[in-house]
């Protein structure tokens, strides 16, 4: 029997078509809704969106960069963002490879959104990896911020905005530019804003020099820079594991071989952690001076942005090109770092309670010490802060007697260190007063360019800059000013002979209310000396005779023309260096002698550029003729005698026996064995409170001062407390390092002699008299007002 054919009814057919229609309505409606949501997000209905102007110029704070004359970064100025952008061409290939392999392997294939990755994330709910492309992550970093995970609606809106901005970024920038922007914007922690800062902080190198494992570690931090913080003692195991994941991804996508991966995964992190802050790094004192310079520059109405607003040192990404040479700066800091702990160790040895009951002070009684401490207490930062908090004087004084937890500076095994301790603030003041300080500056006399600037031993704990801020009595280093004045006015020759006999300048002759008599440090007043020998042996009576011939006022005027701006009282005693003058001024003044009588104002900044490379400032040299070439050369010739036969002679010595113990203890780096022409002058003030050495070769003049904060803190004897022991070793160490670096081209030749030199400088036929051999360190200055 044949089966009866069944047919669908019309109603059944209509019912099926209804489902098809609803499917298309829902499908197309969903697509329309998605499109509408994207349009609304694009129009800013769901929240503010960046326009094309902001996309072209994302608002990121850029640190201002301090650049040395040899192209190295000395430091940066910033508040929150230590960011200095670099271009894609400055990124090493292994760094880019690590990023692509780990964060977005299809970066070069999508247009901002990775469809496959997004679908995978939806299907597996993120368990097999997220879907954010590099472009999306950049959009989040630049414009969206931290995702609101506590509010699902807000999180979805933020994700939609992120997608829209990512697409716009892809239209605005090339793939390479997006990669560079992403590296530049990311915060790697510990002031590592952007890849350049991170590379310098964690590995002490520029990004272009990063190797594969270093690149992998930094890319690994993109997952969470707080969790994977490579700072010592934070999370080294987690950081290493995360780095190894990146290396595995690089091997997976054939950026490195399996063998390379296995080898690199076994290595340590090998950090070279170098924090970048205002109190750490190289040239800290100079950078602080520069901060003040830049603030003054920005205040000047002539230096404004095109819109009329002032430049911001901390956010506008200025590039400040300086004269400091990073190599010479490092050699200078190394010289200070080598000598000062050894000198301090001997100083502490001489100031134990058994040897000095009032340590670290000398020649002060208890009431004088109490007054000195009380005055220092009221001038200090702690007093100022508590006073601003409304504390009474009595409350503040009591706080200085209360034991407090603090971190103090200490030399440990010859290295600057910090020690946690409990100490009364008043005791910490006395502790810090026991430290010897130093100031050092080096300058090219021909250009005025300052090449090195060391204002102290450790900026974190000793912030007072002893190059420009600090002014101390200069002792015998002032004598060349007297000699130059006499040569200029009287046409004296280094070979002219003067008696060593005592001399008294009567009262009121030069404004001095009392008769003024000076003494020779060796107590010897017999015989005669040439001027050259007299300066070499620092014979005070002959310097006094010259002062009596020319008068103090012309000497003051000479010092002013040489660049000394400090106040100098025009009285006879200035001949022996009673004036307080800075290292900065002394180096500039001595440079005039080396530069054939032409004064060049010290230059620290050569130009300033904005973030786009537009020059905003270019220095104009300031020079003036002070002395004739002949007088300048003769003065230099006189000072060459100091390093041949005077206290500066230890620079040339190959070693001595008689004073070997002292040399081993404080003459760091001795023997220096410098045989090239050197002009210089040591200086030691009364009671050994200040030790100076000014030294120069034709294209480099360097001054060094060493002393304590208070003049009552000093060595017991002249053997250790003179300039030739305290300051000269730093100069010797520094110059030997400079000469060892042939790329610096520091001169080792003679000072250029004028063609028509009329003043006789050949003293071989003269009786050299009773030259005091100061190689044993006997140089003292007695003030008898």
């Amino acid at each position: 029997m044949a089966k009866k054919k069944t047919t669908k009814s019309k109603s059944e057919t209509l019912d099926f078509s209804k489902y098809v229609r609803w499917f298309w309505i829902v499908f197309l409606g969903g697509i329309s809704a998605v499109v509408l949501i994207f349009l609304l997000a694009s129009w800013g209905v769901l929240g503010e969106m960046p326009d094309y102007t902001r996309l072209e110029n994302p608002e990121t704070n850029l640190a201002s960069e301090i650049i040395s004359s040899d192209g190295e970064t000395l430091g940066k100025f910033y508040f929150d963002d230590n960011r200095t952008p670099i271009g894609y061409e400055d990124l090493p290939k292994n760094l880019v490879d690590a990023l692509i392999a780990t964060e977005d392997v299809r970066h070069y294939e999508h247009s901002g959104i990775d469809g496959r990755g997004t679908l995978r994330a939806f299907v597996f709910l993120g368990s097999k990896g997220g879907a954010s492309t590099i472009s999306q992550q950049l959009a989040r970093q630049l414009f969206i911020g931290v995702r609101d995970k506590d509010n699902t609606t807000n999180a979805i809106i933020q994700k939609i905005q992120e997608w829209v901005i990512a697409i716009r970024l892809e239209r605005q920038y090339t793939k390479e530019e997006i990669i560079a922007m992403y590296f530049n914007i990311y915060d790697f922690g510990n002031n590592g804003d952007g890849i350049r800062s991170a590379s310098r902080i964690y590995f002490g190198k520029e990004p272009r020099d990063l190797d594969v494992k270093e690149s992998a570690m930094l890319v690994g931090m993109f997952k969470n820079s707080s969790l994977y913080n490579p700072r010592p003692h934070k999370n080294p195991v987690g950081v290493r594991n995360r780095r190894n994941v990146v290396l595995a991804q690089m091997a997976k996508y054939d950026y490195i071989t399996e063998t390379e991966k296995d080898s690199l995964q076994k290595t340590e992190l090998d950090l070279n952690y170098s924090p970048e802050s205002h109190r750490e790094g190289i040239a800290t004192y100079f950078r602080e001076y520069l901060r003040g310079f830049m603030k003054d520059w920005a205040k000047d109405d002539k230096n404004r942005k095109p819109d009329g607003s002032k430049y911001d040192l901390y956010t506008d990404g200025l590039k400040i090109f300086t004269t400091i040479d990073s190599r010479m700066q490092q050699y200078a800091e190394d010289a200070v770092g080598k000598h000062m702990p050894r000198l301090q160790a001997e100083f502490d040895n001489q100031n134990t309670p058994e040897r000095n009951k009032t340590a670290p002070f000398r020649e002060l009684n208890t009431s004088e010490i109490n007054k000195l401490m009380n005055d220092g207490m009221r001038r200090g930062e702690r007093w100022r802060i508590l006073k601003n908090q409304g504390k009474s004087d009595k409350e503040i004084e009591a706080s200085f007697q209360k034991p407090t937890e603090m971190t103090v500076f200490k030399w440990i095994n010859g290295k600057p260190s910090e020690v946690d301790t409990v100490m009364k603030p008043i005791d910490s003041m006395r502790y810090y007063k026991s430290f010897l300080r130093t100031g050092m500056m080096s300058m090219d006399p021909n250009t005025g360019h300052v090449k090195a600037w060391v204002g102290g031993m450790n900026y974190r704990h000793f912030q007072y800059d002893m190059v420009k801020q600090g002014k101390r009595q200069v002792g015998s280093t002032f004598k060349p000013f007297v000699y130059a004045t006499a040569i200029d006015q009287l046409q004296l020759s280094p070979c002219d002979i003067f008696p060593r006999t005592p001399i008294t300048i009567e009262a009121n002759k030069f404004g001095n209310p009392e008769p003024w008599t000076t003494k020779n440090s060796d107590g010897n007043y017999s015989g005669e000396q040439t001027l050259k020998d007299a300066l070499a042996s620092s014979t005070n009576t002959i310097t006094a005779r010259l002062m009596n011939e020319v008068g103090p006022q012309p000497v003051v005027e000479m010092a002013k023309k040489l660049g000394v701006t400090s106040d100098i009282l025009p009285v006879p005693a200035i001949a022996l260096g009673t004036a307080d003058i800075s290292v900065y001024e002394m180096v500039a003044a001595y440079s005039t002698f080396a530069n054939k009588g032409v004064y060049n104002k010290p230059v620290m900044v050569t130009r300033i550029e904005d973030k786009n490379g537009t020059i905003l400032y270019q220095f104009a040299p300031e020079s003036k003729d002070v002395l004739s070439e002949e007088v300048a050369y003769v003065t230099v010739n006189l000072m060459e005698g100091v390093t041949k036969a005077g206290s500066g002679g230890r620079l040339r010595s190959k070693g001595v026996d008689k004073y070997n113990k002292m040399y081993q203890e404080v003459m760091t780096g001795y023997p220096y064995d410098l045989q090239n022409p050197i002009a210089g002058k040591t200086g030691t003030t009364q009671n050994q409170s200040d030790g100076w050495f000014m030294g120069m070769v034709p294209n480099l003049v360097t001054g060094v001062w060493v002393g304590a904060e208070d003049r009552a803190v000093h060595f017991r004897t002249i053997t250790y407390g003179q300039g030739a022991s305290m300051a000269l070793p730093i100069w010797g160490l520094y110059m030997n390092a400079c000469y060892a670096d042939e790329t610096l081209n520091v001169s080792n030749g003679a000072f250029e002699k004028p063609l028509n030199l009329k003043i006789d400088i050949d003293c071989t036929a003269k009786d050299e008299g009773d030259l005091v051999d100061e190689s044993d360190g006997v140089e003292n200055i007695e003030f008898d007002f």
Side-chain angles (χ1 to χ4, degrees):
M1 182 178 177
K3 290 184 179 180
K4 185 178 180 181
K5 185 177 180 181
T6 60
T7 58
K8 292 182 180 179
S9 67
K10 185 176 181 181
S11 61
E12 287 177 327
T13 303
L14 289 175
D15 287 341
F16 179 75
S17 64
K18 179 176 68 174
Y19 290 125
V20 172
R21 184 170 63 252
W22 273 109
F23 168 79
W24 284 107
I25 291 174
V26 171
F27 179 75
L28 294 174
I31 292 177
S32 300
V34 170
V35 172
L36 179 62
I37 290 174
F38 271 83
L39 286 173
L40 291 174
S42 179
W43 295 334
V45 175
L46 301 182
E48 184 182 359
M49 293 286 281
D51 57 20
Y52 283 100
T53 302
R54 285 183 63 195
L55 284 174
E56 288 181 358
N57 299 283
E59 296 176 2
T60 56
N61 292 335
L62 304 180
S64 291
E65 186 177 7
I66 308 164
I67 303 171
S68 71
S69 61
D70 55 320
E72 297 296 325
T73 298
L74 296 174
K76 300 175 186 177
F77 293 121
Y78 61 91
F79 273 136
D80 295 322
D81 293 345
N82 177 23
R83 181 174 289 105
T84 305
I86 59 175
Y88 180 84
E89 64 277 6
D90 295 316
L91 300 173
K93 183 178 183 300
N94 57 62
L95 183 67
V96 175
D97 291 345
L99 177 70
I100 298 297
T102 308
E103 296 293 328
D104 187 1
V105 73
R106 284 181 291 278
H107 173 69
Y108 292 102
E109 300 171 13
H110 61 67
S111 298
I113 300 175
D114 181 2
R116 287 166 58 184
T118 301
L119 181 62
R120 182 193 64 230
F122 275 123
V123 172
F124 296 99
L125 301 178
S127 62
K128 292 191 176 182
S132 290
T133 64
I134 293 173
S135 301
Q136 289 175 246
Q137 294 179 53
L138 176 60
R140 188 186 315 141
Q141 292 279 338
L142 285 173
F143 303 108
I144 304 300
V146 179
R147 193 175 298 157
D148 188 356
K149 296 181 179 180
D150 296 330
N151 188 314
T152 304
T153 301
N154 286 346
I156 293 173
I157 291 174
Q158 287 178 322
K159 191 64 178 179
I160 293 170
Q161 291 176 317
E162 182 184 298
W163 281 338
V164 173
I165 296 172
I167 294 171
R168 288 184 177 180
L169 287 171
E170 291 273 349
R171 293 174 179 173
Q172 195 79 17
Y173 298 100
T174 66
K175 292 289 186 177
E176 290 76 16
E177 288 174 330
I178 288 172
I179 288 174
M181 291 173 69
Y182 186 48
F183 273 118
N184 285 326
I185 196 64
Y186 191 74
D187 179 1
F188 291 86
N190 302 313
N191 292 328
D193 299 301
I195 188 62
R196 183 156 185 249
S197 294
S199 177
R200 289 168 55 85
I201 288 171
Y202 295 125
F203 297 108
K205 59 175 67 173
E206 294 294 330
R208 61 177 176 270
D209 300 320
L210 292 169
D211 60 28
V212 175
K213 70 173 186 177
E214 293 165 345
S215 296
M217 191 208 82
L218 291 172
V219 167
M221 295 180 69
F222 280 118
K223 187 173 183 66
N224 187 328
S225 61
S226 296
L227 176 61
Y228 300 109
N229 186 342
R231 184 175 178 178
H233 313 303
K234 286 291 184 179
N235 183 18
V237 175
V239 174
R240 183 177 173 180
N241 290 340
R242 178 59 188 165
R243 178 204 66 181
N244 289 348
V245 169
V246 176
L247 291 170
Q249 288 292 106
M250 294 181 74
K252 177 180 178 181
Y253 293 105
D254 297 324
Y255 289 111
I256 59 176
T257 66
E258 286 291 329
T259 302
E260 288 175 310
K261 180 205 73 173
D262 294 339
S263 176
L264 291 172
Q265 285 183 336
K266 295 175 183 178
T267 63
E268 299 297 327
L269 294 175
D270 294 331
L271 295 177
N272 179 15
Y273 185 62
S274 307
E276 284 193 352
S277 72
H278 303 309
R279 296 186 176 186
E280 296 171 294
I282 194 173
T284 46
Y285 292 90
F286 171 76
R287 282 154 43 196
E288 188 57 30
Y289 157 78
L290 192 61
R291 186 200 305 272
F293 175 92
M294 289 302 300
K295 285 183 177 180
D296 291 340
W297 176 84
K299 288 178 183 177
D300 194 326
D301 290 338
K302 295 181 296 184
N303 305 319
R304 294 297 183 99
K305 296 180 184 179
D307 63 3
S309 62
K310 294 181 180 180
Y311 282 99
D312 191 315
L313 178 62
Y314 305 103
T315 62
D316 282 337
L318 301 175
K319 291 188 181 296
I320 309 159
F321 294 85
T322 73
T323 61
I324 297 294
D325 187 294
S326 68
R327 298 159 296 181
M328 298 173 79
Q329 179 68 32
Q330 190 63 63
Y331 300 150
E333 294 186 13
D334 289 346
V336 167
K338 289 176 181 176
H339 179 60
M340 292 307 294
R342 293 189 63 191
L343 190 68
Q344 186 69 46
E346 179 57 32
F347 183 80
D348 293 342
N349 183 51
Q350 294 185 21
N351 281 279
T352 60
E354 296 78 19
R355 294 188 176 189
N356 181 12
K357 294 181 180 179
T358 59
F361 307 105
R362 294 184 183 274
E363 295 95 30
L364 295 183
N365 58 39
T366 301
S367 62
E368 290 171 329
I369 292 174
N370 289 338
K371 183 180 184 307
L372 185 150
M373 295 297 293
N374 286 333
D375 290 345
M377 181 170 61
R378 284 168 169 75
R379 290 194 303 267
E381 184 72 4
R382 181 185 180 86
W383 184 281
R384 185 188 66 80
I385 292 173
L386 293 176
K387 198 69 176 176
N388 289 340
Q389 293 176 359
K391 303 289 185 181
S392 67
D393 289 1
K394 188 175 182 180
E395 289 175 315
I396 299 174
E397 288 174 359
S399 74
F400 274 83
Q401 302 298 329
K402 183 179 179 181
T404 305
E405 292 183 357
M406 62 180 68
T407 301
V408 298
F409 175 85
K410 187 176 183 179
W411 292 110
I412 299 179
N413 297 324
K415 302 293 183 183
S417 306
E418 292 183 333
V419 176
D420 294 328
T421 187
V422 176
M423 189 182 295
K424 295 178 182 177
I426 193 69
D427 292 336
S428 73
M429 281 180 55
R430 190 161 184 154
Y431 172 76
Y432 275 104
K433 286 181 181 294
S434 70
F435 281 95
L436 296 173
R437 319 288 179 90
T438 188
M440 176 185 183
M441 188 176 110
S442 195
M443 169 177 154
D444 182 341
N446 304 314
T447 62
H449 288 191
V450 175
K451 312 307 292 184
W453 178 308
V454 184
M457 307 172 300
N458 182 282
Y459 184 75
R460 179 180 289 274
H461 291 276
F462 304 95
Q463 295 184 17
Y464 194 71
D465 178 16
M466 292 306 302
V467 167
K468 204 166 192 295
Q469 285 181 299
K471 297 183 179 184
R472 297 296 287 260
Q473 286 187 341
V474 293
S476 289
T477 57
F478 193 87
K479 288 180 179 177
F481 303 159
V482 181
Y483 278 67
T485 306
I487 295 168
D488 187 39
Q489 290 193 359
L490 308 175
Q491 291 297 292
L492 295 178
S493 162
C495 309
D496 288 336
I497 296 174
F498 286 79
R500 292 169 55 91
T501 54
I503 176 175
T504 296
I505 297 179
E506 60 268 25
N508 301 315
K509 181 175 182 179
F510 297 115
N512 47 306
E514 301 290 337
W516 183 72
T517 303
T518 187
K519 300 176 182 179
N520 289 332
S521 60
D522 60 351
N524 180 10
Y525 301 95
S526 63
E528 298 176 327
Q529 282 184 297
T530 63
L531 285 184
K532 193 164 189 175
D533 293 340
L535 185 62
S537 61
S538 215
T539 305
N540 291 338
T541 54
I542 292 181
T543 307
R545 288 183 183 280
L546 295 178
M547 177 62 78
N548 192 43
E549 291 288 332
V550 299
Q553 187 60 45
V555 174
V556 171
E557 291 172 1
M558 173 64 74
K560 295 294 183 181
K561 288 190 292 183
L562 290 169
V564 176
T565 57
S566 299
D567 292 334
I568 305 175
L569 191 65
V571 294
I574 62 172
L576 306 185
T578 57
D580 289 335
I581 304 175
S582 69
V583 172
Y584 175 89
E585 295 168 273
M586 291 297 288
V587 171
Y590 269 65
S591 293
T592 306
F593 296 130
N595 194 37
K596 304 178 181 180
V598 178
Y599 168 80
N600 280 320
K601 185 177 180 180
V603 178
M604 281 71 74
V605 178
T606 55
R607 74 181 188 276
I608 301 170
E609 296 180 357
D610 68 11
K611 64 182 180 181
N612 299 315
T614 303
I615 296 177
L616 306 176
Y617 164 87
Q618 194 130 20
F619 93 101
E622 295 184 38
S623 302
K624 62 181 179 180
D625 291 333
V626 175
L627 295 167
S628 69
E629 184 178 348
E630 183 178 43
V631 172
Y633 179 79
V634 172
T635 306
V636 169
N637 182 264
L638 281 167
M639 287 190 279
E640 284 188 271
V642 174
T643 66
K644 291 178 180 178
S647 55
R650 15 183 116 182
L651 290 170
R652 304 189 180 286
S653 177
K654 297 178 183 297
V656 296
D657 295 324
K658 184 179 179 182
Y659 297 95
N660 192 46
K661 182 177 184 296
M662 186 276 291
Y663 276 61
Q664 289 179 344
E665 289 168 343
V666 299
M667 293 299 293
T668 314
Y670 183 85
Y672 310 103
D673 194 21
L674 292 166
Q675 301 304 317
N676 57 290
I678 299 170
K681 188 70 190 79
T682 55
T684 310
T685 60
Q686 189 165 344
N687 296 327
Q688 307 84 240
S689 296
D690 304 273
W692 289 79
F693 184 72
M694 303 295 302
M696 52 189 182
V697 296
N699 66 352
L700 195 65
V701 176
T702 305
V704 183
W705 166 87
V706 174
E709 178 184 347
D710 297 291
R711 289 188 170 94
V713 179
H714 55 78
F715 277 102
R716 181 177 60 86
T717 66
I718 191 70
T719 303
Y720 293 91
Q722 62 176 296
S725 300
M726 293 205 293
L728 179 143
I730 293 175
W731 195 93
L733 287 164
Y734 169 68
M735 290 301 292
N736 269 328
C738 288
Y739 281 128
D741 188 341
E742 296 180 357
T743 64
L744 294 177
N745 296 316
V746 176
S747 172
N748 59 5
F751 292 89
E752 186 177 349
K753 186 177 180 179
L755 294 176
N756 299 313
L757 181 64
K758 298 178 181 178
I759 298 176
D760 182 20
I761 61 171
D762 184 3
C763 306
T764 55
K766 298 285 186 178
D767 179 13
E768 294 189 356
D770 299 321
L771 175 62
V772 176
D773 179 8
E774 284 201 308
S775 62
D776 63 356
V778 182
E779 182 203 11
N780 197 2
I781 294 176
E782 300 277 354
F783 297 114
D784 188 3
F785 296 98

